[in-house]
């Protein structure tokens, strides 16, 4: 088991390093993308235009021996543009199902908040049930299946806020910030270098095996109590109107196991819980209006301050 755990850690580190050479400053978010992949979940990336969100998803897919498709969401889309539709085959004189772009292992849902709720709801079934239902016919999606969604937080015209149910299907909402000065210098220095890179790819069988390994990562009873205490504290905070659900606690435990495995351990420690608290909780908490009005900061800083306060108020096990 220790040798297999070390193999997972080495593969994760190689991917983080390799992708960081192409998308500078991306090591941390690649870890969250791997956690989403190994726990059968999805990730939402949010940031202003020009922060390489689409490029990052593309580079991540190149390290996987899986099918990758991109869906560019627009306000005039229909659910069938995502899921597929029934079409008439003149040769067989029968209606046949033609698969949409969601039938892929890795789906980049680009600018997902630009599509209306009807299309978002079509994606909801795919993300949660890993299947698509069209005209009463249910078709399973390929496995593994991962949705990497992006959205632009600054544009309001022609956008549709994601429903709470859909937001909850994303394991993480990762805020992408501007790179620091050193990283920005590196980006400019590497902008016109045509480097040929060989990718060591993870295939579907290996990914499914890693998912089984995640389920076998040991979790102490104190860690379970710690997760529950954090989740319950979100419901008691003065800054929070609606706290995290029990489903969030289950996903938290899965994510902690995956992070432990990616770190080369077959057991969970409190640092695994703390490491991903902001990204896992920020889209699952509804803040009180007074918490938003009493601060000059943007929403991200306010919700992060609330999460920090919650984490700091819960005693971590030794």
């Amino acid at each position: 088991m220790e040798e297999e755990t070390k193999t997972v850690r080495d593969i994760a580190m190689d991917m983080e390093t390799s992708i960081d050479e192409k998308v500078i400053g991306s090591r941390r978010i690649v870890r969250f993308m791997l956690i989403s992949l190994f726990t059968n979940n999805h990730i939402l990336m949010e940031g202003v235009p020009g922060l390489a969100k689409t490029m990052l998803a593309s580079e991540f897919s190149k390290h996987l021996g899986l099918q990758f498709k991109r869906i560019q969401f627009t306000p005039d889309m229909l659910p069938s543009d995502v899921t597929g539709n029934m079409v008439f085959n003149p040769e067989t004189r029968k209606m046949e199902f033609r698969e949409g772009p969601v039938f892929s292992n890795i789906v980049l849902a680009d600018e997902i908040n630009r599509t209306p709720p009807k299309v978002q709801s079509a994606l909801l079934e795919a993300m949660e049930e890993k299947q698509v239902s069209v005209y009463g016919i249910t078709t399973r999606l390929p496995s593994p299946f991962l949705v990497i969604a992006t959205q632009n937080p600054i544009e309001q015209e022609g956008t549709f806020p994601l429903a709470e149910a859909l937001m909850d299907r994303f394991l993480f909402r990762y805020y992408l910030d501007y790179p620091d000065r050193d990283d920005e210098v590196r980006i400019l220095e590497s902008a016109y270098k045509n480097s040929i890179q060989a990718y060591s790819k993870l295939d579907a069988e290996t990914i499914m095996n890693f998912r089984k390994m995640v389920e076998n990562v040991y979790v102490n009873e104190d860690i379970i109590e710690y997760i529950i205490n954090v989740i319950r504290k979100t419901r008691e905070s003065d800054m929070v109107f609606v706290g995290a659900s029990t489903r969030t606690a289950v996903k938290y435990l899965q994510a902690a196991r995956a992070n432990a495995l990616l770190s080369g351990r077959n057991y969970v420690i409190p640092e695994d819980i703390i490491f991903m608290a902001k990204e896992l909780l920020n889209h699952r908490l509804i803040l009180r209006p007074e918490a938003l009005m009493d601060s000059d900061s943007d929403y991200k800083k306010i919700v992060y301050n609330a999460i920090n306060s919650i984490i700091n108020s819960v005693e971590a096990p030794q």
Side-chain angles (χ1 to χ4, degrees):
M1 181 67 181
E2 290 184 6
E3 188 64 32
E4 291 178 332
T5 304
K6 183 177 181 299
T7 300
V8 178
R9 183 197 64 189
D10 292 343
I11 290 174
M13 291 179 64
D14 287 344
M15 282 189 66
E16 291 170 10
T17 302
S18 178
I19 295 174
D20 187 66
E21 291 175 0
K22 286 286 189 177
V23 186
I24 294 168
S26 63
R27 294 184 67 98
R28 191 171 188 272
I29 189 173
V30 171
R31 170 61 65 94
F32 285 91
M33 295 168 82
L34 285 170
I35 292 172
S36 300
L37 178 65
F38 290 165
T39 58
N40 200 19
N41 281 289
H42 314 282
I43 184 169
L44 172 65
M45 298 186 293
E46 186 169 312
V48 299
L51 296 184
K53 298 184 292 294
T54 303
M55 182 180 179
L56 175 59
S58 177
E59 285 297 320
F60 183 76
S61 69
K62 290 178 181 177
H63 289 74
L64 307 174
L66 304 172
Q67 188 180 23
F68 171 77
K69 290 182 181 177
R70 173 184 175 181
I71 306 174
Q72 183 65 51
F73 286 97
T74 56
D76 60 344
M77 288 184 70
L78 298 173
S80 58
D81 295 327
V82 175
T83 61
N85 208 348
M86 300 298 292
V87 297
F88 180 72
N89 187 334
E91 294 182 0
T92 62
R93 302 188 66 81
K94 293 181 179 179
M95 298 293 290
E96 296 178 355
F97 177 64
R98 180 173 295 173
E99 296 179 350
V102 76
F103 283 85
S104 181
N105 297 112
I106 310 294
V107 176
L108 171 58
D110 216 355
E111 296 188 292
I112 190 173
N113 58 327
R114 286 195 177 278
T115 196
K118 184 180 290 187
V119 181
Q120 293 178 11
S121 63
L123 194 61
L124 179 62
E125 181 189 10
M127 293 173 62
E128 181 66 16
E129 306 296 335
K130 309 300 187 294
Q131 66 183 29
V132 165
S133 298
V134 177
Y135 289 99
I137 298 176
T138 299
T139 308
R140 297 293 300 178
L141 292 167
S143 185
F145 176 70
L146 170 69
V147 173
I148 303 172
T150 71
Q151 70 174 358
N152 175 2
I154 62 172
E155 293 185 15
Q156 301 299 323
E157 187 175 350
T159 62
F160 304 86
L162 299 186
E164 295 296 333
L166 182 58
M167 286 291 287
D168 195 51
R169 267 45 179 196
F170 290 105
L171 181 62
F172 302 115
R173 174 166 69 174
Y174 195 102
Y175 286 107
L176 284 165
D177 291 320
Y178 291 110
D180 59 34
R181 192 180 189 283
D182 292 340
D183 282 344
E184 208 152 18
V185 170
R186 287 175 59 204
I187 291 170
L188 294 187
E189 289 175 345
S190 63
Y192 297 103
K193 291 181 181 179
N194 296 321
S195 58
I196 300 175
Q197 192 172 3
Y199 299 103
S200 54
K201 297 185 177 182
L202 282 175
D203 57 24
E205 183 179 355
T206 304
I207 292 170
M208 300 307 289
N209 183 47
F210 286 172
R211 287 183 175 181
K212 293 178 182 177
M213 292 176 64
V214 168
E215 296 173 0
N216 292 326
V217 171
Y218 174 72
V219 183
N220 187 280
E221 187 68 28
D222 291 340
I223 294 293
I224 293 177
E225 292 283 346
Y226 183 42
I227 293 174
I228 293 299
N229 290 340
V230 169
I231 295 298
R232 296 186 69 86
K233 195 67 177 180
T234 66
R235 305 167 191 165
E236 302 167 1
S237 171
D238 294 337
M239 298 181 67
V240 179
F241 180 64
V242 178
S245 66
T246 305
R247 178 165 57 192
T248 301
V250 174
K251 289 182 178 290
Y252 213 153
L253 181 59
Q254 290 177 327
R257 280 175 156 162
N259 188 63
L261 186 66
L262 291 167
S263 301
R265 287 179 276 103
N266 60 356
Y267 54 90
V268 176
I269 60 176
E271 283 73 11
D272 293 317
I273 313 302
I274 298 169
F275 170 71
M276 63 188 72
K278 293 177 182 178
E279 287 75 13
L280 192 138
L281 293 174
N282 74 77
H283 58 301
R284 293 185 165 94
L285 305 182
I286 300 178
L287 300 184
R288 293 185 180 276
E290 52 268 31
L292 300 172
M293 294 173 62
D294 292 343
S295 175
D296 295 330
S297 303
D298 58 20
Y299 180 82
K300 173 192 163 186
K301 290 181 180 179
I302 298 171
V303 72
Y304 276 9
N305 287 338
I307 294 170
N308 282 334
S309 175
I310 290 166
I311 293 294
N312 293 335
S313 66
V314 178
E315 185 179 358
Q318 300 299 316

